[in-house]
Amino acid sequence: MARRRGSHSDITGPKIREAALRLIAQHGCAAVSMRKIAEDVGLQVGALYNYTPDKQSLLFDLMETHMVDLLAELGKLPALDGPIEQLDQFVRFHITYHLPRRDEVFVSYMELRNLSPENFERIQALRSQYEGALEAILEAGEASDDFTFTDRHITTLSIIAQLTGITNWYREDGRLTIDEVATIYCDLIQRSVASAQA
Amino acid sequence: MARRRGSHSDITGPKIREAALRLIAQHGCAAVSMRKIAEDVGLQVGALYNYTPDKQSLLFDLMETHMVDLLAELGKLPALDGPIEQLDQFVRFHITYHLPRRDEVFVSYMELRNLSPENFERIQALRSQYEGALEAILEAGEASDDFTFTDRHITTLSIIAQLTGITNWYREDGRLTIDEVATIYCDLIQRSVASAQA
DNA sequence: GTCTATAAAATGATAGAC
DNA sequence: GTCTATCATTTTATAGAC
């Protein structure tokens, strides 16, 4: 087997993170050894420790990157006027961003319990930021009488769970495109919060 | 340390399953060793193998028991006439059954990937049965013009995800009782499927 | 039914050669 | 930056005494 020597840190780093993400999403963090990750990349175990101080940091890096990227993309959305349009935009954004990133979603939701307390808090803070964006839309809609609900915060969490659950069943080769799924959920969610029509 | 000797299989069995359920829910299956489970119960490792042939069977047993119990309880619900009442009943049942069983829910949703293919199929079959119960209600509501939606099956999965997500944030000592949560979700979900009023 | 002891393999992480 | 080699633990599971 040919061995590559020399400096590869700019390409090896991402390859390690990709492999770790895929393997951890598939089997769970504790079930994936550093050896398996190294083998998947084509390295020996020891080499991994040039890229991460330990396994915990690698896991945290994956989750933090996902949340930071998510928030960055959310921030790039054009500002819309009405809460109804904003809600549609958020729902479509959530679905189109998450569905092609199933591994990231799996890891970010299932491996929270394997984070150290400090790392857990940092991820939770990012997650709260994201939830806050949706909650602000619901609040605006409440103020404008477009939306009505019993409890704004719970409605926020309910919608996020509803949307994130899609990653558990959606298949790229299934009968629906991502856009079609988004349309279905826009309808479901708009109806669940819409004020009664006069 | 005092040692108990003799036959305890009728009490030790459940204790092992309880400990395994709690520890696996907390840390994930691969992160919990048979030693930790034994220690939690107050046994030595070897003794566990009187109750389960291996770790995989123990995990499967926990998940299968949860699903079978869930379906049994669902089957005990009184038959109601209208789809609207049936939907309320299902939503309330799901919430009141699942919220006091967070560990079972966690394990049943997060450890699917650690099951062998055959065991996975058996759990999926039970889960489909449960989803089918909700889908039948939605179908009845469609037929009676009480409900309207773009896609019945996706609406089913969406509602289940929405409901199951509650276990991720609900706290017994929080500001809402289980009944209050159920009422909020009945409202959200009924509105999301209700046909437009004449 | 539980214990002790052990086998055989795998694990996270480090040291030092190249 | 990667390799080889190694350490100290821990792992699942089994065997046999009591």
Side-chain angles (χ1 to χ4, degrees):
Chain A
M1 201 212 283
R3 283 189 208 132
R4 295 146 298 165
R5 299 250 168 180
S7 176
H8 292 291
S9 87
D10 48 343
I11 182 157
T12 306
K15 277 175 78 175
I16 290 173
R17 284 192 290 277
E18 281 162 30
L21 185 70
R22 180 166 27 82
L23 291 170
I24 293 175
Q26 206 159 70
H27 305 106
C29 182
V32 176
S33 67
M34 294 295 272
R35 271 174 181 78
K36 278 186 207 130
I37 296 172
E39 184 188 15
D40 196 274
V41 181
L43 291 175
Q44 294 299 317
V45 210
L48 293 188
Y49 291 88
N50 286 317
Y51 299 90
T52 179
D54 50 35
K55 204 183 180 187
Q56 165 79 204
S57 303
L58 178 57
L59 175 63
F60 175 71
D61 181 52
L62 295 175
M63 298 176 68
E64 189 187 36
T65 299
H66 172 62
M67 289 307 299
V68 168
D69 289 353
L70 172 69
L71 287 168
E73 286 303 310
L74 178 68
K76 289 183 192 162
L77 292 180
L80 298 182
D81 263 355
I84 294 176
E85 291 74 22
Q86 287 172 3
L87 182 57
D88 260 353
Q89 185 188 47
F90 184 92
V91 168
R92 269 187 194 283
F93 167 75
H94 186 101
I95 292 175
T96 54
Y97 189 84
H98 283 85
L99 279 195
R101 292 175 178 80
R102 293 190 58 188
D103 287 347
E104 284 88 340
V105 175
F106 258 67
V107 171
S108 291
Y109 276 78
M110 317 260 273
E111 303 299 336
L112 279 170
R113 58 191 172 180
N114 289 315
L115 291 177
S116 67
E118 317 90 76
N119 285 345
F120 178 81
E121 283 310 318
R122 291 170 66 184
I123 297 295
Q124 280 301 100
L126 293 170
R127 191 181 302 281
S128 294
Q129 238 182 288
Y130 185 68
E131 292 167 359
L134 174 56
E135 189 156 349
I137 294 171
L138 295 186
E139 189 173 7
E142 222 176 353
S144 64
D145 271 337
D146 287 312
F147 301 155
T148 310
F149 25 75
T150 317
D151 187 293
R152 188 199 313 146
H153 187 58
I154 289 185
T155 303
T156 303
L157 299 177
S158 166
I159 292 173
I160 302 253
Q162 192 176 6
L163 290 175
T164 305
I166 304 175
T167 48
N168 286 319
W169 56 261
Y170 183 76
R171 297 290 173 266
E172 264 188 43
D173 55 355
R175 51 183 248 267
L176 295 167
T177 66
I178 291 182
D179 269 351
E180 287 167 340
V181 171
T183 301
I184 291 173
Y185 274 80
C186 280
D187 173 62
L188 267 177
I189 290 171
Q190 289 285 0
R191 286 162 66 187
S192 73
V193 299
S195 297
Q197 296 303 312
Chain B
M1 200 213 286
R3 284 190 207 130
R4 296 148 297 166
R5 299 253 169 178
S7 177
H8 292 291
S9 87
D10 49 343
I11 183 158
T12 305
K15 278 174 78 176
I16 291 174
R17 283 191 290 275
E18 281 162 29
L21 185 70
R22 181 165 27 80
L23 291 170
I24 292 175
Q26 207 160 69
H27 305 106
C29 182
V32 176
S33 66
M34 295 294 272
R35 267 176 183 75
K36 278 186 205 130
I37 296 171
E39 184 189 15
D40 195 275
V41 180
L43 291 175
Q44 295 299 316
V45 211
L48 293 189
Y49 292 87
N50 285 317
Y51 298 91
T52 178
D54 50 34
K55 205 183 179 187
Q56 165 78 205
S57 302
L58 178 56
L59 175 64
F60 175 70
D61 181 53
L62 295 175
M63 299 176 67
E64 189 187 37
T65 300
H66 171 62
M67 289 308 299
V68 167
D69 289 353
L70 171 69
L71 286 169
E73 285 304 310
L74 178 68
K76 289 183 192 161
L77 292 180
L80 298 182
D81 261 357
I84 294 176
E85 291 73 23
Q86 287 172 3
L87 181 57
D88 260 353
Q89 184 188 48
F90 183 92
V91 169
R92 273 191 190 282
F93 167 75
H94 186 102
I95 292 176
T96 56
Y97 189 85
H98 284 84
L99 280 195
R101 292 175 177 81
R102 291 190 59 189
D103 287 348
E104 283 88 340
V105 176
F106 258 66
V107 171
S108 290
Y109 275 80
M110 318 259 273
E111 304 298 338
L112 279 171
R113 57 191 173 180
N114 288 316
L115 292 178
S116 67
E118 317 88 76
N119 285 343
F120 178 81
E121 283 310 317
R122 290 169 66 184
I123 297 296
Q124 280 300 99
L126 293 169
R127 191 181 303 280
S128 294
Q129 237 183 289
Y130 185 68
E131 291 167 358
L134 173 57
E135 190 157 347
I137 295 172
L138 295 185
E139 189 173 6
E142 221 176 354
S144 64
D145 271 336
D146 286 312
F147 300 155
T148 311
F149 25 75
T150 316
D151 188 293
R152 188 200 312 148
H153 186 57
I154 288 186
T155 302
T156 303
L157 299 177
S158 167
I159 292 173
I160 301 253
Q162 193 175 6
L163 291 174
T164 305
I166 303 175
T167 48
N168 286 320
W169 56 262
Y170 183 77
R171 298 289 173 267
E172 264 188 43
D173 55 355
R175 51 183 249 266
L176 296 167
T177 65
I178 291 182
D179 269 350
E180 287 168 340
V181 172
T183 302
I184 291 174
Y185 274 80
C186 279
D187 172 62
L188 267 176
I189 290 171
Q190 290 286 359
R191 285 162 67 188
S192 74
V193 299
S195 296
Q197 297 304 311

